[in-house]
Amino acid sequence: MDSELLTLVVTDGDGSQLIFNLDQATCVSIGRAEDNAVVLPDASVSRHHAELAANGGRWAVRDRGSHNGTFLNGRRVAPQKSASVSSGACIEIGRYEIRVSVSGDSQDPSLVSEETIDSQDAFTVDADEPITGPTELESLEDAVPAARRRLRCLLAIEQANLELLGDEPLDIIYDKVLDLVAQAVRPDRAALFVLDAQDRLVRKAIQGQDRGRPMMVSGSLIERVMQENVAILIPCASVSQPGITDSLENEGVRCVMAAPMRYQKRTVGLIYADSRTTDASFQEDDLRVLTALANVAAARIELARLLEEERELIRHDHELRAAAAVQRRLLPRKSTPIRGYLVEGFNRPCFEVGGDFFDYLPLGNNRYGIVLADVAGKGLPAALLLMGVQAYTRAYVGLRPGVDGLAGFLNDGMLRYAPRNRFVSYVFFELDSATNTVRWCNAGHAPPPTIIRANGSLQKLDPGGPPLGVVADCSFPVLENKMSDGDLLVVCSDGVTDAANSQEEPFGDERLDKLLQSMAGNSPKEVQQKILDAVADHVQETPNSDDLTV
């Protein structure tokens, strides 16, 4: 063992962590003094407090006569005495907790994986399916408490969308996610795990851990969640059954659930929650809400990860190129297939990054969301704000698939968290391909979307409310139109109508309308290309002055 990699995960009392990877180590000194291999700079730690030593293929921790003692898995190690340490052990020194891992362990040492999860009573939810309406109730007596529980959870999820809108470090986001989990489903304990660059699960945040003992969770439960991309609830009656998990029973757990964090069909981590009291058993609705929270968290964590990665490039004079790479990854790479329809999208930022975006969102039941947004301003600040709007559009429709209430929700978030000089024009279409119905909401977007009827007539879908982030407590009406064979729905950003030539003459609404009137019978791809060609012919060699989306 003395040739293997020893990893020590040191957690401070405030939750911050340090990781020491000690290759080829045979003796590791721990203490407050600077000459230790692991320095713990706090008055609760002696100058030379303890040491880890390898002997005969085993590790042992020895207390070096410390003032406040050394604790192994909750039990004090006698002064100047040694105690055997295995991978996954927890050593406490002063205000610090040290988790021990030896090479060969593939993931966080708090995971235990000897047992299996095979209970027929376990309830699962597909992590990629949006939350639907309330589950069926067995009796009217269940209706009121179930409604109250669901309302509490839905409010917590809306709060999550707002609370996570800001640009904050990952460590703060992790803790906020667990705070929101605590509000929504009220677990006794919760933990958040994230996949690292080597696809290993690493615990990033924890709540409710007992002082003096490590938090152990079921490795087989975690493995199933990660491999099958399902959220799992094991109710109270199942945890105590034979063959479920010894680790859960040893921890005093009576009910447990875990949900994968999914982003763009990828699992990036998971959220775990458990309860130790039968009076606080989780319900199926709790698992659905945990699943929604996990997906909200995944979107925000991935955005933060992307930004942190690109900020490294920014420090090396690649700010705009890095941000452009992030934005391209967030735009659809190809048109979404919609039965009976052809869809095309194009985006060209004014600079390397821009303030326009479009997206396609499957809503279920033959319904699809199509969104276009335009932030006031250009460049990196506009792009950062737009990433938040895009992420929380996806989060909202994942919870409430459809256009109803979406603009009002985003408007409230903009007013609370966005800079006061920023606003967003926004239009969302909910297309039902089975009934050929389009329900839509236009929040100050111009030029207005236009339906080109098969006979060549134009129908404008004018704004029903102001841009997002301008007026509080305003309404955003949802309207409806029917689509017929041969009809075209065209929406573009003001980068089309504002495109100016060398005489500073804009392309303009009138020129766009005249062009659209000639488009009946064309395919979406042809319409898109003719608009782009017309704008190019108008501006000639004049540089782009705004982002352009069609």
Side-chain angles (χ1 to χ4, degrees):
M1 180 177 290
D2 57 357
S3 64
E4 296 180 346
L5 174 65
L6 177 69
T7 300
L8 302 180
V9 180
V10 180
T11 304
D12 198 347
D14 60 5
S16 60
Q17 287 189 330
L18 289 174
I19 299 177
F20 294 85
N21 294 313
L22 304 165
D23 197 6
Q24 303 295 329
T26 58
C27 186
V28 179
S29 59
I30 305 171
R32 191 175 75 249
E34 292 293 333
D35 59 351
N36 289 286
V38 176
V39 179
L40 306 179
D42 187 80
S44 64
V45 181
S46 299
R47 290 180 54 81
H48 298 94
H49 196 109
E51 68 180 13
L52 279 164
N55 184 15
R58 299 285 296 176
W59 284 96
V61 60
R62 182 173 73 89
D63 182 271
R64 299 175 67 181
S66 66
H67 181 69
N68 291 321
T70 302
F71 295 81
L72 175 62
N73 294 333
R75 302 185 65 177
R76 184 164 185 165
V77 178
Q80 303 298 341
K81 299 294 183 180
S82 298
S84 179
V85 174
S86 60
S87 188
C90 175
I91 300 171
E92 282 189 280
I93 294 178
R95 58 181 286 176
Y96 299 93
E97 175 191 286
I98 303 174
R99 300 302 301 275
V100 180
S101 177
V102 180
S103 61
D105 293 345
S106 61
Q107 53 191 10
D108 189 292
S110 65
L111 301 183
V112 179
S113 57
E114 301 97 1
E115 66 287 306
T116 59
I117 300 291
D118 57 6
S119 171
Q120 295 181 353
D121 294 329
F123 177 73
T124 62
V125 170
D126 186 339
D128 291 327
E129 289 186 0
I131 286 186
T132 57
T135 55
E136 293 184 3
L137 301 171
E138 294 183 358
S139 68
L140 290 177
E141 293 179 357
D142 296 331
V144 173
R148 287 175 178 170
R149 183 179 66 250
R150 190 168 184 81
L151 177 60
R152 185 190 76 241
C153 294
L154 291 176
L155 289 175
I157 292 172
E158 287 202 11
Q159 185 66 22
N161 289 326
L162 296 175
E163 289 289 341
L164 300 177
L165 185 60
D167 180 14
E168 295 178 309
L170 278 168
D171 288 344
I172 293 177
I173 294 173
Y174 297 144
D175 288 336
K176 279 191 171 184
V177 170
L178 289 192
D179 287 341
L180 293 162
V181 169
Q183 295 174 31
V185 297
R186 301 181 182 178
D188 289 327
R189 305 185 307 173
L192 185 149
F193 297 85
V194 173
L195 286 174
D196 66 8
Q198 288 75 44
D199 286 333
R200 297 176 301 183
L201 272 179
V202 179
R203 194 182 70 198
K204 294 296 186 179
I206 188 172
Q207 282 193 1
Q209 180 179 9
D210 288 346
R211 184 69 175 167
R213 61 181 295 184
M215 178 179 176
M216 308 297 285
V217 302
S218 167
S220 58
L221 172 65
I222 301 303
E223 183 178 6
R224 180 177 172 190
V225 169
M226 296 297 291
Q227 289 184 354
E228 299 181 16
N229 297 322
V230 294
I232 300 175
L233 164 64
I234 303 178
C236 291
S238 300
V239 168
S240 60
Q241 290 182 8
I244 297 301
T245 109
D246 291 336
S247 64
L248 296 182
E249 189 171 357
N250 292 338
E251 289 287 288
V253 172
R254 296 293 176 265
C255 187
V256 60
M257 60 182 176
M261 295 192 295
R262 297 276 291 168
Y263 181 74
Q264 293 187 345
K265 303 297 183 182
R266 292 184 298 111
T267 299
V268 299
L270 67 89
I271 298 176
Y272 167 94
D274 66 32
S275 173
R276 296 180 175 182
T277 61
T278 56
D279 293 338
S281 176
F282 299 132
Q283 306 296 321
E284 294 179 7
D285 280 344
D286 294 322
L287 183 63
R288 295 185 186 278
V289 170
L290 184 68
T291 303
L293 276 174
N295 287 331
V296 172
R300 188 62 191 91
I301 288 169
E302 283 303 288
L303 285 174
R305 276 179 163 181
L306 289 172
L307 289 175
E308 287 192 359
E309 291 172 4
E310 303 313 327
R311 280 169 181 159
E312 288 299 319
L313 296 178
I314 288 172
R315 296 187 185 101
H316 296 86
D317 299 324
H318 293 295
E319 174 182 349
L320 296 179
R321 187 184 305 173
V326 173
Q327 192 169 51
R328 284 194 297 270
R329 289 171 64 179
L330 295 175
L331 288 172
R333 298 181 182 180
K334 59 182 180 181
S335 298
T336 188
I338 300 178
R339 185 180 181 87
Y341 289 82
L342 297 175
V343 182
E344 294 291 340
F346 173 86
N347 171 265
R348 184 186 68 203
C350 176
F351 303 125
E352 283 81 356
V353 293
D356 289 3
F357 92 90
F358 69 96
D359 207 352
Y360 312 124
L361 303 167
L363 303 178
N365 297 324
N366 299 308
R367 295 178 303 126
Y368 300 85
I370 302 173
V371 58
L372 189 150
D374 183 358
V375 174
K378 294 177 283 293
L380 188 58
L384 289 173
L385 179 57
L386 206 58
M387 289 177 192
V389 174
Q390 181 187 26
Y392 294 106
T393 295
R394 291 180 174 182
Y396 184 94
V397 300
L399 173 64
R400 299 176 176 176
V403 66
D404 296 294
L406 173 59
F409 166 75
L410 294 173
N411 187 59
D412 291 342
M414 286 280 297
L415 290 169
R416 289 184 61 183
Y417 295 105
R420 293 186 178 180
N421 62 340
R422 296 285 181 183
F423 59 87
V424 179
S425 69
Y426 185 94
V427 60
F428 188 98
F429 302 93
E430 177 188 323
L431 171 64
D432 189 328
S433 62
T435 64
N436 296 319
T437 300
V438 177
R439 301 179 70 241
W440 55 276
C441 180
N442 185 345
H445 187 79
T450 302
I451 297 177
I452 306 173
R453 297 298 183 183
N455 61 8
S457 64
L458 303 184
Q459 181 177 356
K460 299 284 188 178
L461 308 183
D462 293 314
L468 305 178
V470 176
V471 181
D473 299 324
C474 60
S475 62
F476 296 90
V478 174
L479 303 177
E480 183 176 307
N481 290 87
K482 280 284 189 178
M483 297 288 288
S484 302
D485 289 345
D487 288 350
L488 289 159
L489 173 59
V490 180
V491 57
C492 55
S493 67
D494 60 9
V496 171
T497 51
D498 290 349
N501 57 21
S502 58
Q503 287 76 44
E504 298 185 354
E505 177 190 7
F507 187 81
D509 292 329
E510 184 177 345
R511 190 177 277 108
L512 177 61
D513 289 345
K514 184 177 180 180
L515 180 64
L516 294 179
Q517 286 174 343
S518 67
M519 295 294 184
N522 285 261
S523 70
K525 186 68 174 179
E526 292 169 337
V527 172
Q528 179 188 88
Q529 191 58 53
K530 288 181 179 180
I531 292 174
L532 296 175
D533 290 344
V535 171
D537 289 341
H538 177 73
V539 301
Q540 295 295 321
E541 300 299 323
T542 305
N544 299 328
S545 60
D546 199 358
D547 309 313
L548 189 152
T549 301
V550 179

